[in-house]
Amino acid sequence: VFLYNQSIILEEESSTTFKATQGRPFSAIREGSSWFLLIDDERQLVYMFDTITGDISQDSSVRVFNHGSVDYVVDRNGNSLSYTYTAPQNTLASITSSDGSFLEFTYGGVNGALTSVKDQGGRTASFTYGTEQCGGVSTPVMTSFTNPRRKTTSFTYYDPTNDSSCSQLASFTEPMGNKPFENTWTTNPNGNKAVAMQTDGAGNKASIAYSGDGTDTTATFTLPGGEKQTYVHENESYPK
């Protein structure tokens, strides 16, 4: 909730409280040469961060902490989660709870993507990746996920030859072989990729038509039975 473009930005509300750009209030900030600490009264949590490139203190009303990574989080009862990272990319390596449970993360997929997550019992979830050609550019996509019970879900992507939609999810196939839905894609009036039609596992089809006036976007859903539902969103995607 704190990150904005790899930075944490807090604005002063009073002499003792700060608020994150997305609205979270913090009652205290403590700074060191290579760390900073935030206290969240609402959730009753303490966050400790390491700063990768050093913290940046601006004027008295704003604090910007650049590239901070969470070191640990503690609640009011002393329960904690600690985090470790792998250099030099500073990718998350593990999360350990004060009760001894943990998760370990391994990377190495396309562009260094996450390939597996293992817990303290040795249970492992794994991910595989491939690429789709989008206008001559290779775009990484997840092709399958295998859960700790060794059951695999696979993913396919819409129209690899279509520059505007080649990395959008077309369907996924669950471990038992069923395919819950298939998507086709279009571009809405704002130039964003959007689902045009969805077909469920029984062959029922629902379509979505888009229109816009430069300020709002209207999405009209036609359900399998012919019923229509209309939703209006601001251009920033917020519903009206």
Side-chain angles (χ1 to χ4, degrees), residues 6-238:
Q6 296 299 320
S7 298
I8 297 173
I9 302 177
L10 303 166
E11 297 184 16
E12 188 175 34
E13 287 190 306
S14 69
S15 60
T16 58
T17 63
F18 285 75
K19 182 177 70 175
T21 53
Q22 295 186 1
R24 281 223 68 72
F26 297 93
S27 64
I29 298 176
R30 301 290 184 269
E31 303 176 48
S33 60
S34 62
W35 59 270
F36 60 95
L37 176 149
L38 302 176
I39 298 176
D40 183 340
D41 281 337
E42 184 176 318
R43 294 180 178 176
Q44 298 187 331
L45 296 172
V46 175
Y47 299 84
M48 175 66 79
F49 293 83
D50 289 327
T51 52
I52 307 307
T53 57
D55 52 345
I56 304 171
S57 296
Q58 295 188 345
D59 62 54
S60 60
S61 64
V62 177
R63 292 287 185 271
V64 178
F65 299 99
N66 196 34
H67 295 272
S69 56
V70 180
D71 188 17
Y72 60 84
V73 180
V74 184
D75 70 13
R76 65 176 181 174
N77 297 314
N79 302 307
S80 66
L81 293 174
S82 59
Y83 302 78
T84 63
Y85 301 86
T86 302
Q89 294 86 1
N90 201 45
T91 51
L92 182 63
S94 68
I95 303 174
T96 303
S97 172
S98 53
D99 66 8
S101 59
F102 63 83
L103 294 174
E104 293 180 337
F105 303 86
T106 303
Y107 303 84
V110 177
N111 293 342
L114 179 69
T115 55
S116 68
V117 181
K118 183 174 70 174
D119 71 7
Q120 70 282 351
R123 295 177 291 264
T124 301
S126 59
F127 309 84
T128 60
Y129 302 86
T131 57
E132 298 286 357
Q133 293 298 316
C134 299
V137 178
S138 293
T139 300
V141 293
M142 183 188 296
T143 55
S144 69
F145 161 72
T146 302
N147 67 26
R149 295 183 176 182
R150 301 184 180 180
K151 304 296 184 181
T152 298
T153 298
S154 58
F155 306 89
T156 61
Y157 296 84
Y158 180 67
D159 191 2
T161 62
N162 185 325
D163 292 355
S164 65
S165 304
C166 61
S167 61
Q168 306 306 307
L169 184 66
S171 66
F172 67 92
T173 303
E174 295 181 331
M176 296 297 292
N178 53 311
K179 188 179 293 186
F181 65 81
E182 292 185 71
N183 290 329
T184 59
W185 291 78
T186 188
T187 302
N188 70 17
N190 295 324
N192 299 319
K193 301 176 185 69
V195 173
M197 181 176 292
Q198 187 169 95
T199 305
D200 68 18
N204 301 305
K205 297 180 183 295
S207 62
I208 310 173
Y210 301 90
S211 60
D213 59 7
T215 301
D216 299 326
T217 298
T218 299
T220 302
F221 289 71
T222 302
L223 303 180
E227 177 188 356
K228 292 184 182 293
Q229 298 177 354
T230 300
Y231 301 88
V232 180
H233 293 255
E234 297 176 351
N235 280 348
E236 291 80 9
S237 300
Y238 300 113

